[in-house]
Amino acid sequence: MALLDWRSSDHFDPTGDKPCVICTKPTPLRSDRGKPVHKVCAEEWIDAHTPKEDKK
C-alpha cells in the first residue's frame, strides 16, 4: 500500500474545504498538484492505478 508523507504544510489549504476529487467529501488537504483530496483517497487511488509486476 502506498503511504504518502503529507506532513508538509503545503498539503493543507487554510482557505477552506473543497470536495475531494475522489470521494467528493470536503477536505482542506491538497495533492502535490493542488487538487483537493484526502490522503487516504490518494493512497487508495495510487494502489488501484499502479501497474503490478508479473509474478513468475
Side-chain angles (χ1 to χ4, degrees), residues 26-40:
T27 181
L29 299 176
R30 302 295 183 260
S31 70
D32 289 342
R33 295 182 178 174
K35 303 288 185 186
V37 64
H38 296 102
K39 181 178 178 286
V40 171

Side-chain angles (χ1 to χ4, degrees), residues 8-52:
S8 167
S9 62
D10 294 341
H11 291 285
F12 180 78
D13 186 348
T15 64
D17 291 352
K18 291 186 180 175
C20 174
V21 296
I22 296 173
C23 75
T24 70
K25 293 180 183 174
T27 181
L29 299 176
R30 302 295 183 260
S31 70
D32 289 342
R33 295 182 178 174
K35 303 288 185 186
V37 64
H38 296 102
K39 181 178 178 286
V40 171
C41 291
E43 291 168 341
E44 289 175 359
W45 188 94
I46 290 169
D47 282 345
H49 293 89
T50 300
K52 307 291 185 240

